Amino acid sequence: MSAIADSTDTVLVVDYGAQYAQLIARRVREARVYSEIVPHDTPVEELLAREPAAIVLSGGPASVYAEDAPGLDPAVVTSEVPVLGICYGFQAMASALGGRVERTGTAEYGGTPLQVVGGDSTLFHGLPRQQSVWMSHGDSVVAAPPGFDVVATTAGTPVAAFEDVTRRLAGVQFHPEVMHSEHGQAVLEHFLYEIAGCRPTWTTAGVIDEQVAVIREQVGSSRAVCGLSGGVDSAVAAALVQRAIGDQLTCVFVDHGLLRQGEAEQVERDFVAATGVELKVVDATDRFLDALAGVSDPEEKRRIVGREFIRVFEAAAREVVADAGAAGEPVEFLVQGTLYPDVVESGGGTGAANIKSHHNVGGLPDDLAFDLVEPLRALFKDEVRAVGLELGLPEAIVWRQPFPGPGLAIRIVGAVDADRLEILRTADAIAREELSAAGLDREIWQCPVVLLADVRSVGVQGDGRTYGHPIVLRPVSSEDAMTADWTRLPWDVLARVSTRITNEVPAINRVTLDVTSKPPGTIEWE
């Protein structure tokens, strides 16, 4: 349980295997109510011992009547704790309370017209009687449990939502957490505020003061080390720990030469200026290029970059430990930018060895075992950005788009060398500059630029025939990286990007646009 939850109402989101469980928790927090995710097999005694302000039962892929379906202990919905069921959670709730769930032969997927019925529903009050919602189900609730009012239907679902306000119980067949449900957030907030009585007091403003106190108590007079990657997670974690313990923290920045244009300078200049942190910079560009020479397989690239990063960080950390030891100041802690999704996906994230991937430095030897300081482990990415702005970090760091740990190495299809890196780095910088100038850099989630280094394309430049490389633009929109769609950028912006890249990067004579969603395509090419 997070210390954050001690001073505010907490909603527990029971995860039944839904791809949207994290999104439900985020939407609850966007309603300024703190939320945490718990597995569906958490004993009911443990759930209730947390004294939650409410419980939300997520969706899931199972059928409630299947033998191996995840169960719902009836004690959850008879405990007097307010409960909202969503999709599978809605059906499990109906079944546990005496309703009826059947496979009617009519499935609903995607945008579906919903009709609000009956009197003034608490879930839907003030909302249109007809609205579009996002459905994803094969089974349906065909009879609500005794005491419940049916408050919404669709053409294929006789019971699309129900509520028993007296018992503070409600459920919806659709997914209110996704943006495709027109009034989903309002429905969720009606449950939280008007049925569950939750207080909208959760903000990120109090996180800094709380975590500063926690970090100071944890670290005491010892020292800590942090591996900076240039990304927002490690930057905000380091800034927060710096706020707590000042010069007891040393940050190590391993420059592997695979970052985009200007990003190493952001760390060395802008981050230090904003925080005053003690920074140890290791320029390992040549080492990484030597290790990557001739390697085209993307998984091998990832292994090499991860292995070399750990080795370089290990050597740097030993130097920090030795210098501190000579001064009688032991280094006992490793700062990590672990976020709440990392904790959930790793099954809880406990222990000094449970370390996030790549830049958060896993695989250190036993004689460099540190206790972890993870000040962001209760936060989602958007909350981390808010904390970073509160800490005074530059917007260029706080709003940095997601970037893979192995860097540009996996945005080159083919072997990696200094020349190809420079080609890609220049083209990427042009694309980012034009998107920013058009005010689009925050409208898209990220825009990988991919160099097809092993492909030659025929072109005409300067009245002569050329054989240059194609570049691929991959603008994508996503909320959680599990699914994504290509972003429909304005044609005039694409035209400027293409013209500038082919004019300013001689090795490139063709710019292409990737218009594949995820699935079936991934966000990165390699």
Side-chain angles (χ1 to χ4, degrees):
M1 180 176 178
S2 168
I4 293 173
D6 293 344
S7 59
T8 187
D9 288 342
T10 298
V11 170
L12 298 181
V13 177
V14 179
D15 183 3
Y16 282 104
Q19 62 174 325
Y20 294 129
Q22 291 187 27
L23 187 54
I24 295 171
R26 282 181 53 193
R27 294 294 187 243
V28 173
R29 292 193 191 186
E30 287 173 11
R32 298 183 61 201
V33 180
Y34 184 71
S35 64
E36 291 184 4
I37 299 171
V38 295
H40 68 82
D41 57 358
T42 304
V44 65
E45 297 81 7
E46 186 177 324
L47 286 178
L48 300 181
R50 298 278 301 271
E51 298 184 355
I55 293 173
V56 178
L57 309 175
S58 86
S63 295
V64 293
Y65 46 74
E67 287 187 10
D68 58 350
L72 171 65
D73 191 322
V76 172
V77 288
T78 59
S79 65
E80 299 186 357
V81 174
V83 179
L84 173 69
I86 295 175
C87 194
Y88 178 86
F90 170 64
Q91 296 171 5
M93 185 178 184
S95 181
L97 289 167
R100 199 165 78 252
V101 180
E102 295 179 357
R103 176 148 295 194
T104 63
T106 301
E108 293 176 314
Y109 298 100
T112 305
L114 180 89
Q115 177 69 46
V116 178
V117 298
D120 187 21
S121 158
T122 302
L123 283 178
F124 294 97
H125 83 80
L127 300 178
R129 305 286 291 184
Q130 294 184 337
Q131 53 189 272
S132 179
V133 298
W134 191 258
M135 289 285 198
S136 182
H137 69 103
D139 301 339
S140 296
V141 177
V142 297
F148 280 77
D149 295 323
V150 176
V151 293
T153 66
T154 70
T157 304
V159 184
F162 57 45
E163 61 186 42
D164 183 340
V165 177
T166 301
R167 288 189 287 172
R168 300 195 295 174
L169 303 174
V172 295
Q173 180 60 69
F174 61 91
H175 288 274
E177 71 275 15
V178 304
M179 60 183 178
H180 307 292
S181 291
E182 290 177 332
H183 302 282
Q185 185 67 13
V187 170
L188 186 59
E189 291 178 2
H190 288 169
F191 167 76
L192 293 172
Y193 302 154
E194 299 174 33
I195 294 178
C198 293
R199 299 166 296 171
T201 57
W202 157 249
T203 68
T204 55
V207 170
I208 296 175
D209 290 342
E210 179 188 283
Q211 285 301 309
V212 163
V214 170
I215 294 163
R216 284 174 179 166
E217 181 178 355
Q218 180 184 7
V219 176
S221 60
S222 297
R223 294 187 61 85
V225 63
C226 176
L228 280 178
S229 68
V232 61
D233 302 345
S234 63
V236 174
L240 192 47
V241 174
Q242 168 72 12
R243 174 73 62 91
I245 62 174
D247 60 10
Q248 292 170 247
L249 172 68
T250 300
C251 289
V252 175
F253 172 52
V254 177
D255 184 358
H256 52 24
L258 305 172
L259 292 175
R260 294 174 294 189
Q261 191 174 98
E263 290 184 325
E265 292 77 11
Q266 277 184 356
V267 176
E268 296 182 51
R269 182 189 63 231
D270 301 341
F271 181 77
V272 172
T275 62
V277 75
E278 180 181 336
L279 181 65
K280 181 180 182 67
V281 179
V282 182
D283 185 351
T285 300
D286 292 341
R287 174 174 181 155
F288 278 83
L289 286 180
D290 289 344
L292 288 166
V295 177
S296 297
D297 180 74
E299 288 308 310
E300 183 63 16
K301 290 179 187 177
R302 292 176 186 273
R303 283 193 291 270
I304 289 171
V305 174
R307 180 194 70 209
E308 294 303 314
F309 186 90
I310 290 171
R311 289 176 178 173
V312 175
F313 182 85
E314 174 189 338
R318 288 189 188 281
E319 292 179 9
V320 173
V321 169
D323 291 345
E329 301 171 333
V331 181
E332 298 180 351
F333 296 92
L334 174 66
V335 178
Q336 293 222 137
T338 307
L339 305 191
Y340 191 54
D342 305 317
V343 176
V344 173
E345 289 162 10
S346 66
T350 58
N354 191 352
I355 297 179
K356 201 180 159 187
S357 64
H358 186 55
H359 278 311
N360 281 335
V361 199
L364 292 177
D366 291 340
D367 62 345
L368 272 179
F370 300 109
D371 290 328
L372 295 184
V373 178
E374 298 175 305
L376 309 178
R377 63 181 284 115
L379 303 181
F380 288 101
K381 177 76 80 172
D382 52 341
E383 296 165 343
V384 171
R385 295 190 197 279
V387 169
L389 294 173
E390 288 277 343
L391 289 167
L393 291 182
E395 289 197 2
I397 291 178
V398 171
W399 290 103
R400 180 185 189 252
Q401 292 182 356
F403 189 63
L408 296 179
I410 59 168
R411 291 184 176 174
I412 294 176
V413 179
V416 178
D417 60 35
D419 290 340
R420 289 176 169 182
L421 281 169
E422 188 56 31
I423 292 168
L424 177 55
R425 194 174 280 121
T426 305
D428 176 89
I430 291 170
R432 287 191 292 143
E433 183 178 316
E434 289 298 331
L435 290 174
S436 180
L440 297 170
D441 47 355
R442 292 192 195 174
E443 287 191 21
I444 62 172
W445 190 60
Q446 59 173 303
C447 184
V449 178
V450 182
L451 174 64
L452 304 184
D454 287 346
V455 177
R456 289 286 182 171
S457 170
V458 178
V460 178
Q461 292 171 297
D463 295 327
R465 198 172 179 84
T466 63
Y467 293 92
H469 298 290
I471 276 280
V472 182
L473 305 179
R474 176 73 166 129
V476 293
S477 299
S478 177
E479 288 194 87
D480 50 24
M482 292 184 291
T483 60
D485 195 14
W486 66 281
T487 307
R488 277 65 167 172
L489 296 177
W491 296 121
D492 59 330
V493 174
L494 289 171
R496 286 197 299 273
V497 172
S498 177
T499 299
R500 284 195 57 194
I501 288 177
T502 52
N503 283 350
E504 299 175 32
V505 189
I508 298 174
N509 65 359
R510 194 177 298 271
V511 176
T512 65
L513 178 66
D514 184 344
V515 294
T516 313
S517 63
K518 177 187 178 182
T522 55
I523 292 174
E524 299 291 345
W525 272 50
E526 292 217 325

